[in-house]
Amino acid sequence: MSCIELMDRKTDSGSMMDNIYTLPELLQGNLIPFAADLSADQIIGIMDKVFSLEFMWYDGTSLAQSLWTCLYFHNPETMLNDHILRAYLFLTLKKALLIKKFIDEAAAFDDEDFLPKTFGFKLDYDIDIDELYDNAIDLLNKMEQKCAGNEEFNDIPSLQEDPDLELSYIRAIESRLTLSKEILNILTIFQNERNSGLNSVKHDLPKFEDIIEQLKSPIQSSVPEYIFQDDIFRRLFPDVNTTKECISFEDSIARQEKLVEGWEMLTSVYKLKSINQIECFVYSMERKNCDTLTKAIFVNLFNSDNSNVIFENIPISEIVTKDGANTYGLPKKHMLLSVNTPLNEEVCDIVEKIGKCMIDYIKILCSNPSRRRMKLTDCLIEWKYLLIIGDLYDIEISKLANITVDDKKPHRFYMWMADWIVKISVYVLRLGFDLELYDDHEYIIVYWYIYSLLNQIRSHHNFMMEYNKKYPNEIILPIQNNVQNNTNTSNRKRGGRRNRGKRGRKKGNTQTRNVNQRPGKKRKPKKIKITESFLNKNLAINTEARYYNGVLNLLIALKIIGKLPEAPDFTFGSPQTRFEARFEIIDEKLANILPRLTYDKFSELIEVSKASIADLVESSMKFFNQVKIDTKKLMQKRDVITVQVEELKQLMMASLNNYMQLQLNSTKLNTPGVEPIFLFSNNFLHIKFENQ
């Protein structure tokens, strides 16, 4: 049931309308000044508040509650009859228009991230922004010349009466105008030049440091009455019913510095060459609390006008084949077989389908955590479909290569798609820690579930590693093009040389022999190549699984000795029912990939583990210590980029902290009064032991 509580400003938009005036009413009563009538301190006060209102909008506040509370925006062409404020406010509108385009085109954000509705007012004006800016800077330069004693500019009006303060006001206004223009320049480069303009952005970013330092210098400012009306939407937009308090100018400057840091991160996207690196980059943006605008720019850089490439020059097929090679050593020939050879209709465009799912996955990672969790569970349906296609593709490959498929041989495409499903499921569960969805007593069950999933990926990889070592001479598709070109082998004369022209080929003969099939010569088997990237991927998977195994063993030990919170008595349903409800969102997506994880299996694990607390603690310490060693190895790999190193540092720090806590308290765990404290850093659990 919904209702309106009369005279409550939150629900009754028609209440308490006193002293809320529209622009025509203020003009009729001569209550609002035109821009040309403002003093220097008033110009600065308006600039600073508008700058703060900008960031309110970028943070998810509607235009009605932010920029449109400045009545100058309701009719800027009439109200802004000067050079300075006219340039600044039209620069602000131009920036807002570009930012709206960025976020709309990214199509990865929701209403709680950004509200694009303009409520009938314009952002786009047919005005030469560069000319406005140049006129304003030219005027300020003339004022500065006047302050320096140049009589040529004596007819230029002063900003205020005190000549000792004139120069400081001129420079304060100039720095604010320059900041706005430089922001617009950066946004324009990102919009028009995209990845080709990253070097230009990187070159221009150092300018912001000096400008922002100038803005931090204190200066007196004021805002005339009625120019800003926080509740004006109550008159103009009745469907908006909440007043938002404007953030401070100092807070806005801090956010601008954060924005520049995000742009600096974006200048390195050209280094991202694999889906794993792109994932780590998005995680890094999340960890640094990058704003919606930075993420939207990233998504637009990631998207290209050509749907077959990302970052404008990296083919999606290359990203897909690289991930297949790094994950399971899938040869590129296998991947592109769907392009070069007639196959089953369902699998002929498998690379394209995998690429689309990878792109959608990256876009989902840029959304806010609560929406991300829901969207990821939905996208698992697409990956489950790819799992079926992957299995069919394995069969097609085996037929073409005359290889009998059985359980003793790796089903590479099937396992690859299964690993993506498991990986996304793990991430969905980890998001629950960030969203604080789990109670303390649930940590052990969630960690057991995550470890079980990671262990499935690890078993796939270890099986592949062992298989490749045992059968290094496995034939890799000896049939690339002969399905289509097997008629070309007749070009060779029997018992003699081929007819050759000047360069070994008969003139006028446009036919070429098939290089993939030489008559009378048996094709030599090729060895499966175990690449360094494949080994690194295997090490990374095992490292993460060891961390979760270490935490799980420690939590089991704490549960056995009664140091974990007990699950409350549930009025509705048993612990098993709650378990099933907790993992229902991904349980059905994991069917046929691994044995179903049930509450009974978890209970059996606890019973089996009761044998020795000391063994559990010792095994945890070994796992944490091994993770520390392995993360150091991974950070030294040549194909690891900076953001991946940061992720590995977080994993190493969590393992190191848990190892040190166990080393100091392993003999005290059963001591009354020594209680575990659970802390999370970037979804990695740090367990501390404190005396209560």
Side-chain angles (χ1 to χ4, degrees), residues 176-429:
R176 284 158 174 76
L177 270 171
T178 304
L179 176 64
S180 194
K181 185 62 168 64
E182 290 298 333
I183 294 172
L184 181 61
N185 288 341
I186 295 293
L187 294 175
T188 304
I189 293 172
F190 277 132
Q191 175 74 17
N192 298 334
E193 301 181 35
R194 293 198 176 184
N195 293 277
S196 60
L198 293 180
N199 287 332
S200 299
V201 172
K202 194 170 187 177
H203 179 267
D204 290 343
L205 287 180
K207 297 177 184 177
F208 285 93
E209 186 175 352
D210 293 335
I211 300 172
I212 289 174
E213 283 303 315
Q214 294 173 29
L215 293 178
K216 290 180 179 178
S217 301
I219 192 166
Q220 184 178 355
S221 64
S222 63
V223 178
E225 190 179 10
Y226 297 125
I227 290 179
F228 294 92
Q229 294 194 57
D230 294 343
D231 290 336
I232 188 62
F233 62 84
R234 298 164 66 78
R235 291 283 307 273
L236 301 177
F237 322 114
D239 55 325
V240 181
N241 54 23
T242 305
T243 303
K244 298 287 186 179
E245 184 178 352
C246 185
I247 61 178
S248 68
F249 179 66
E250 292 73 22
D251 191 15
S252 302
I253 291 297
R255 295 189 188 201
Q256 179 60 54
E257 290 179 304
K258 193 79 175 173
L259 200 58
V260 173
E261 289 178 13
W263 293 343
E264 190 171 2
M265 278 186 67
L266 294 177
T267 60
S268 64
V269 297
Y270 67 90
K271 298 179 181 178
L272 307 177
K273 303 297 183 183
S274 69
I275 195 70
N276 187 46
Q277 291 178 344
I278 296 170
E279 278 183 276
C280 289
F281 189 89
V282 177
Y283 294 155
S284 183
M285 286 198 297
E286 181 74 19
R287 192 175 62 251
K288 293 183 178 180
N289 294 318
C290 286
D291 57 290
T292 301
L293 173 57
T294 301
K295 292 179 181 178
I297 294 173
F298 169 79
V299 173
N300 282 284
L301 292 173
F302 180 71
N303 289 334
S304 297
D305 294 333
N306 183 349
S307 60
N308 295 320
V309 300
I310 59 173
F311 298 128
E312 290 194 340
N313 59 0
I314 304 176
I316 295 174
S317 59
E318 182 179 317
I319 293 289
V320 174
T321 54
K322 195 167 191 176
D323 186 62
N326 293 349
T327 307
Y328 280 119
L330 283 162
K332 190 173 183 179
K333 296 172 184 177
H334 285 206
M335 302 294 294
L336 299 181
L337 185 68
S338 60
V339 179
N340 299 328
T341 308
L343 291 178
N344 186 316
E345 183 179 347
E346 289 183 289
V347 302
C348 63
D349 55 352
I350 188 170
V351 173
E352 181 182 339
K353 289 174 181 175
I354 295 172
K356 181 183 179 300
C357 283
M358 286 182 176
I359 289 173
D360 291 343
Y361 171 68
I362 294 298
K363 288 182 181 178
I364 291 172
L365 293 185
C366 291
S367 59
N368 68 65
S370 56
R371 295 274 187 163
R372 190 185 313 158
R373 192 169 186 267
M374 177 183 65
K375 290 176 181 178
L376 284 173
T377 53
D378 290 341
C379 87
L380 282 173
I381 298 172
E382 295 295 326
W383 285 101
K384 192 68 182 285
Y385 172 64
L386 286 177
L387 180 77
I388 298 170
I389 295 180
D391 201 20
L392 293 174
Y393 199 65
D394 283 322
I395 295 171
E396 290 291 321
I397 289 174
S398 63
K399 286 179 181 176
L400 291 169
N402 296 319
I403 297 173
T404 303
V405 177
D406 56 41
D407 293 337
K408 296 180 181 179
K409 292 182 179 178
H411 299 227
R412 288 186 173 85
F413 274 85
Y414 176 87
M415 289 193 295
W416 182 27
M417 295 299 100
D419 285 3
W420 266 94
I421 294 173
V422 173
K423 180 176 76 170
I424 294 173
S425 300
V426 168
Y427 187 61
V428 168
L429 293 175

Side-chain angles (χ1 to χ4, degrees), residues 642-655:
T642 304
V643 290
Q644 287 176 292
V645 171
E646 293 174 5
E647 294 292 327
L648 290 167
K649 283 181 179 177
Q650 296 294 326
L651 177 59
M652 183 173 70
M653 188 59 66
S655 298

Side-chain angles (χ1 to χ4, degrees), residues 489-503:
T489 56
S490 61
N491 294 332
R492 186 190 297 267
K493 283 189 175 183
R494 291 188 180 182
R497 297 176 58 192
R498 285 177 295 179
N499 293 328
R500 296 179 181 272
K502 185 175 180 181
R503 286 180 167 256

Side-chain angles (χ1 to χ4, degrees), residues 129 179 271 301 357 484-485 492 561-562 583 622 660:
I129 295 295
L179 176 64
K271 298 179 181 178
L301 292 173
C357 283
Q484 295 175 334
N485 301 328
R492 186 190 297 267
I561 61 179
F583 301 110
K622 286 181 179 178
M660 292 175 65

Side-chain angles (χ1 to χ4, degrees), residues 621-687:
M621 293 180 68
K622 286 181 179 178
F623 283 128
F624 291 139
N625 190 51
Q626 188 61 46
V627 170
K628 180 184 70 173
I629 295 169
D630 291 343
T631 47
K632 286 182 178 179
K633 287 181 183 178
L634 288 167
M635 282 189 280
Q636 295 170 356
K637 301 297 182 182
R638 62 184 178 183
D639 60 342
V640 175
I641 60 174
T642 304
V643 290
Q644 287 176 292
V645 171
E646 293 174 5
E647 294 292 327
L648 290 167
K649 283 181 179 177
Q650 296 294 326
L651 177 59
M652 183 173 70
M653 188 59 66
S655 298
L656 185 60
N657 287 349
N658 290 335
Y659 176 82
M660 292 175 65
Q661 286 290 317
L662 276 178
Q663 198 172 39
L664 293 171
N665 298 282
S666 58
T667 59
K668 308 175 187 176
L669 292 185
N670 218 358
T671 305
V674 177
E675 298 295 332
I677 306 295
F678 303 109
L679 304 171
F680 285 93
S681 175
N682 297 304
N683 291 326
F684 290 116
L685 180 60
H686 297 247
I687 302 176

